[in-house]
Amino acid sequence: MGLTDGFVRTLPGRILCLSILIAVLTLAIYWQVLDYGFINFDDPTYVIENNHIRDGLTIEGIKWAFTSFYASNWHPLTWLSHMLDIEFHGMNPGKHHLSNITIHTLNAVLLFILLERMTGMLWRSAMVAALFALHPLHVESVAWISERKDVLSTFFGILTLSAYVWYTRMPGLKRYSLMAVLFICSVMSKPMMVTLPFLMLVLDFWPLKRIDVMKRESGYKPVMRTLHNLLLLLREKIILFAVALISGIVTVCAQHSGGAVQSVVLLNLGDRMMNAAVSYCTYIWKMVWPTDLAVYYPYPSAFVFPYVVLCVVLIVVVTIAIIAFMDKRPYFASGWFWYMVTLLPVIGIIQVGGQSMADRYTYVPSIGIFIMAVWGVSDALEKCRYRKVILAGFSALVIGASSLLTFVQAGYWRDSIILFSHALEVTHENDLAHFNLGHALEDSGNTQEAEIHYREAVLLKAHDAAYHTALGSILAETGRTDEAVAHLTKALQIEPALIEARVNLGNIMLLRGNTEGSIQEYSKALKADPMNAETLNNLGVAYVRKGQLLDAIKCFQQAIHIRPDYMEAIENLEHARENLETMEDEVVKLLQLIDVQPRNHTLYIRLGNLFLQHGKLDKAQEEYKKALRIDMGNLVAMKGLAAAYSQKHEYEQALRILQNMMQIQPRNPDIQYNIACVHARRGMQEKALFWLWRAVENGFRNIQILKNDEDLAIIRESEEYERIVRLIDRLNAE
């Protein structure tokens, strides 16, 4: 027992005890997150729907991680960490959360050890580390599986700084190499840490005291000595600056490849500079008073100019004051520039995404403010009689309050509905929160509430294709296809390559009987994403409807090749093969009958109909022509031949045959209806409506054919078509 007490009283013993205490507190606060699932913001893209990640750690996956700009990012080590989670834990979200919590806990302990090594201040370092571990602003980085990149890059970043401190005490190639490798690992986890070489210069000033600018000497020599000292330190870090530059270039390329960097047309430099100034001040306020925290803060529609000016003035005044007193209170300068420098890549001058700010961006920068606060308060009470008691009580109060707020904030990450409902409560005009909440509600089966939030998202941001797609999709599911088509079409006008909108539009066309239109939409979607099994299956269904069974079978086979467990495609393939066998059997039987009765025109018509039904248009034409050679005026054969010509887009020939039929039966409404269909397929709306009116006048009353015939798709949105439908409904009722 005495040996234990003795060890605890030593510096290593106290460091160990405080490290354990910080770790236990961190785990206790975040342990609830292990029961949480994935959320519908980035988690599907990063993990759930990412086949490279879902396959676990594979050679192909490793190659992909290092060579792709997936999701507008290049962070291969982060991808590898997600693959390892899958390899060991599968799709269990609790285990993925555990990895984030573990890395965050390690970060807090490593930060404590780093600060103690640099400053020699045990309790102050522990307090900064505790604030880092337990501050509500950091919940987003820990409780969000997709923010693994944040905690992982910081882990390597703190190790890089630790290696740097080790190097400064005994410079050498091995120590420098270790530092460089760790820095590369950090930026390969997330490029946020590209500012580490600049941060090292800040630490060179304080607490490492490698830059001597504190002595107030006058004259030329002291200035030159300081500049020479600074140049040596810059040269020392030249390789690290090169790594940072390369990482920055790669990051910009990755963000541009995915369209994440906002156009200066949408966000001009003035707006971005104003947002940066406001964000710098807002982040500090949220560190002091961490309320109304949200997963997403929308970019303001307009800035309050006096408030922007106030923020700029505050930043300038604080910076000047800190520089003026940096010889007496160097930690203020070090902490302030730690904050300013590390936040610079994400402050919004180069705008990535549509948010004005994000809690996760403070994960590393907040350390600088915590250093200023802890060292500043401690020094302010230096001459106070009850200094230790006051500091202990104040520290306990701050850590207790921060822990409670963090526990509550972590609770909002339980699921997507809670998370985005809270975001809507604490922010205004938050289009993305409405969209993601709508998505979560739709997944839970609450389509009515989901539609409300999708409409709000579209109202707030009418030029977002994804919002129109989501609203169009849910409208299609609830049978309001006309409105659905309008939103899906709008989405494709905004973003023609949007696969989901195109597939949903194809689904509606298929539902309406416009088989050819659906095939066109599915085919366009597959050009953008040829490995989409669902789209291939849908295209196969459309081919079945059109009778092109061989094409359908190819689509189903490709879908199954991509997803071997795709049961719907497997069942569709079996049915298509059965239909193909049935058709082939029927063809054989008819050919046998024709051999016996070569002058029976009915057999040729039946064979032509069979070929027409299954998309074999050339063969269908041959059989109809054989029938017409035997019976020149056979209307059934003429109708089939006209249909074959029309489906081959040979409209002049189709109309010629239909006009010949009109000469035989001038008042036949079915012939007039078919003429209307051919004109509609040609895109000639007025002629199509004219002949449709004539068909109705002569007795056409089949309302179901009228509503479902894919040939008439072009005229269905017209008022004239609606009048025809109402007229037929009234005539049928009479």
Side-chain angles (χ1 to χ4, degrees):
M1 190 70 179
L3 289 173
T4 304
D5 288 344
F7 175 72
V8 170
R9 292 178 184 276
T10 65
L11 180 60
R14 292 157 76 187
I15 290 174
L16 178 61
C17 290
L18 286 171
S19 297
I20 293 172
L21 179 60
I22 291 169
V24 169
L25 282 173
T26 306
L27 292 172
I29 294 300
Y30 280 105
W31 202 253
Q32 59 177 315
V33 177
L34 300 185
D35 293 328
Y36 297 177
F38 295 103
I39 66 163
N40 64 9
F41 189 25
D42 281 356
D43 284 356
T45 304
Y46 275 56
V47 180
I48 302 171
E49 299 170 0
N50 188 336
N51 290 330
H52 297 285
I53 300 297
R54 289 175 64 94
D55 289 340
L57 195 63
T58 64
I59 297 298
E60 287 301 316
I62 294 171
K63 289 180 182 176
W64 169 84
F66 281 91
T67 58
S68 74
F69 283 162
Y70 181 75
S72 302
N73 285 296
W74 187 78
H75 41 50
L77 294 190
T78 297
W79 293 134
L80 295 182
S81 76
H82 286 301
M83 291 176 189
L84 283 171
D85 276 348
I86 297 292
E87 192 71 29
F88 290 108
H89 310 301
M91 291 301 292
N92 182 342
K95 300 298 184 181
H96 292 254
H97 282 300
L98 180 60
S99 297
N100 276 28
I101 296 167
T102 302
I103 298 171
H104 174 63
T105 304
L106 287 172
N107 288 345
V109 172
L110 289 171
L111 176 64
F112 164 50
I113 295 171
L114 171 65
L115 289 174
E116 196 283 328
R117 283 183 63 200
M118 289 193 298
T119 66
M121 297 290 187
L122 181 71
W123 292 100
R124 297 185 189 190
S125 300
M127 185 63 183
V128 170
L131 284 171
F132 171 82
L134 302 169
H135 199 282
L137 272 178
H138 296 169
V139 168
E140 182 170 294
S141 295
V142 183
W144 189 1
I145 290 172
S146 293
E147 275 309 301
R148 171 72 53 77
K149 54 191 175 184
D150 228 4
V151 293
L152 191 62
S153 67
T154 303
F155 172 74
F156 286 114
I158 296 174
L159 287 178
T160 303
L161 293 177
S162 300
Y164 179 63
V165 173
W166 188 44
Y167 164 80
T168 60
R169 292 176 181 175
M170 190 180 293
L173 180 60
K174 290 183 179 179
R175 296 188 178 195
Y176 191 96
S177 299
L178 175 63
M179 173 181 64
V181 169
L182 288 169
F183 179 45
I184 291 170
C185 289
S186 180
V187 295
M188 288 171 68
S189 302
K190 184 182 180 180
M192 173 84 177
M193 300 300 286
V194 291
T195 54
L196 268 182
F198 297 96
L199 183 55
M200 290 172 180
L201 287 172
V202 171
L203 297 179
D204 283 339
F205 166 64
W206 183 91
L208 298 179
K209 299 179 181 178
R210 301 179 75 204
I211 301 177
D212 186 14
V213 297
M214 290 181 285
K215 295 179 181 178
R216 292 180 177 257
E217 300 178 64
S218 59
Y220 175 75
K221 288 186 177 181
V223 173
M224 292 304 297
R225 186 170 62 246
T226 299
L227 286 175
H228 179 69
N229 181 211
L230 186 59
L231 286 172
L232 288 175
L233 293 173
L234 284 169
R235 188 178 67 179
E236 171 189 76
K237 300 171 181 63
I238 192 69
I239 293 177
L240 303 181
F241 279 112
V243 171
L245 178 61
I246 293 169
S247 175
I249 293 170
V250 172
T251 300
V252 170
C253 292
Q255 296 287 352
H256 274 293
S257 72
V261 178
Q262 298 295 301
S263 168
V264 293
V265 175
L266 297 176
L267 300 173
N268 61 56
L269 181 60
D271 286 344
R272 284 178 279 140
M273 294 297 290
M274 287 190 287
N275 183 67
V278 171
S279 296
Y280 265 120
C281 293
T282 304
Y283 283 134
I284 295 174
W285 173 246
K286 286 187 177 291
M287 291 177 206
V288 177
W289 196 256
T291 58
D292 294 344
L293 305 183
V295 62
Y296 183 83
Y297 302 98
Y299 212 85
S301 56
F303 291 93
V304 180
F305 190 69
Y307 182 62
V308 174
V309 172
L310 176 62
C311 290
V312 172
V313 170
L314 283 173
I315 292 170
V316 172
V317 169
V318 169
T319 303
I320 292 172
I322 282 172
I323 292 173
F325 290 95
M326 67 182 190
D327 56 337
K328 294 181 179 179
R329 295 289 185 267
Y331 51 79
F332 278 144
S334 187
W336 180 250
F337 288 110
W338 177 310
Y339 172 69
M340 297 293 286
V341 167
T342 56
L343 194 56
L344 190 61
V346 290
I347 200 60
I349 295 174
I350 299 177
Q351 182 68 24
V352 177
Q355 73 285 336
S356 62
M357 51 185 286
D359 294 350
R360 60 187 179 276
Y361 292 162
T362 68
Y363 192 66
V364 172
S366 61
I367 296 170
I369 301 300
F370 295 156
I371 289 172
M372 294 174 67
V374 171
W375 259 261
V377 170
S378 185
D379 280 0
L381 296 172
E382 189 174 4
K383 296 181 180 179
C384 181
R385 182 178 179 182
Y386 302 104
R387 177 176 178 271
K388 289 186 178 180
V389 175
I390 293 172
L391 284 175
F394 184 67
S395 298
L397 179 64
V398 170
I399 294 298
S402 185
S403 299
L404 178 61
L405 290 172
T406 297
F407 185 85
V408 172
Q409 184 65 26
Y412 294 126
W413 288 81
R414 181 173 296 276
D415 59 50
S416 299
I417 293 177
I418 295 172
L419 180 66
F420 290 103
S421 295
H422 174 69
L424 289 175
E425 289 173 3
V426 299
T427 61
H428 302 285
E429 298 185 348
N430 197 328
D431 57 286
L432 186 135
H434 278 294
F435 172 69
N436 282 78
L437 179 56
H439 187 16
L441 290 166
E442 184 180 4
D443 287 343
S444 70
N446 191 346
T447 55
Q448 188 174 359
E449 288 293 322
E451 181 186 334
I452 292 172
H453 288 286
Y454 285 150
R455 289 190 183 278
E456 285 294 327
V458 168
L459 188 65
L460 290 169
K461 197 172 182 181
H463 60 274
D464 193 293
Y467 297 172
H468 283 285
T469 300
L471 180 55
S473 301
I474 206 167
L475 288 168
E477 289 176 12
T478 52
R480 287 164 289 174
T481 54
D482 289 343
E483 194 178 357
V485 168
H487 283 285
L488 293 171
T489 303
K490 178 66 175 177
L492 290 171
Q493 289 173 352
I494 298 168
E495 192 175 337
L498 194 62
I499 296 171
E500 185 181 353
R502 202 164 288 286
V503 170
N504 282 320
L505 194 57
N507 294 342
I508 293 173
M509 289 181 173
L510 191 62
L511 184 67
R512 286 179 162 185
N514 185 357
T515 308
E516 190 168 332
S518 67
I519 289 173
Q520 291 175 0
E521 295 302 330
Y522 294 143
S523 299
K524 289 177 183 177
L526 285 169
K527 284 182 180 178
D529 184 10
M531 300 298 288
N532 192 304
E534 288 80 4
T535 307
L536 281 164
N537 179 66
N538 290 357
L539 180 58
V541 172
Y543 278 134
V544 169
R545 296 271 183 91
K546 196 175 180 183
Q548 297 177 220
L549 293 177
L550 289 175
D551 291 327
I553 288 170
K554 288 179 183 177
C555 289
F556 296 139
Q557 287 173 333
Q558 289 176 32
I560 295 167
H561 178 73
I562 295 167
R563 278 180 50 190
D565 60 343
Y566 195 178
M567 289 308 300
E568 185 179 346
I570 293 170
E571 292 173 0
N572 287 336
L573 177 60
E574 291 176 359
H575 293 317
R577 282 173 171 166
E578 289 172 2
N579 290 339
L580 183 61
E581 289 175 6
T582 302
M583 185 206 77
E584 290 173 346
D585 289 342
E586 290 180 8
V587 168
V588 170
K589 290 177 182 178
L590 284 169
L591 288 173
Q592 290 172 347
L593 289 171
I594 288 171
D595 285 340
V596 177
Q597 306 175 51
R599 298 294 297 172
N600 188 337
H601 66 274
T602 304
L603 295 177
Y604 294 108
I605 292 172
R606 286 171 59 188
L607 188 55
N609 289 343
L610 191 60
F611 285 137
L612 182 67
Q613 179 186 349
H614 290 88
K616 299 180 180 295
L617 302 179
D618 290 335
K619 289 186 176 182
Q621 286 175 328
E622 290 177 13
E623 300 306 320
Y624 290 134
K625 288 176 181 178
K626 289 176 184 177
L628 289 170
R629 290 192 196 107
I630 299 169
D631 183 5
M632 290 183 58
N634 191 292
L635 292 178
V636 177
M638 295 173 76
K639 179 181 178 182
L641 184 57
Y645 277 128
S646 181
Q647 289 186 31
K648 288 178 68 177
H649 307 289
E650 297 174 357
Y651 300 121
E652 293 299 331
Q653 292 91 326
L655 286 171
R656 177 175 53 80
I657 292 170
L658 289 168
Q659 291 294 346
N660 291 338
M661 293 171 67
M662 281 285 293
Q663 291 178 6
I664 299 170
Q665 292 187 0
R667 298 181 63 82
N668 187 318
D670 290 334
I671 298 173
Q672 292 163 343
Y673 174 82
N674 282 303
I675 293 174
C677 289
V678 173
H679 283 304
R681 287 174 66 89
R682 296 176 74 190
M684 303 178 72
Q685 189 173 18
E686 290 185 7
K687 285 189 176 182
L689 289 166
F690 169 79
W691 282 99
L692 192 56
W693 272 115
R694 287 193 61 179
V696 173
E697 289 170 358
N698 285 294
F700 180 83
R701 298 291 184 270
N702 196 328
I703 193 69
Q704 291 304 318
I705 288 180
L706 183 65
K707 288 184 176 180
N708 296 317
D709 195 330
E710 63 184 74
D711 290 344
L712 299 178
I714 191 174
I715 67 171
R716 282 208 176 90
E717 306 300 327
S718 67
E719 294 181 5
E720 194 78 4
Y721 170 81
E722 293 297 329
R723 282 199 290 271
I724 292 172
V725 170
R726 288 195 295 270
L727 175 60
I728 294 176
D729 281 335
R730 189 171 68 251
L731 292 172
N732 286 337
E734 293 174 355

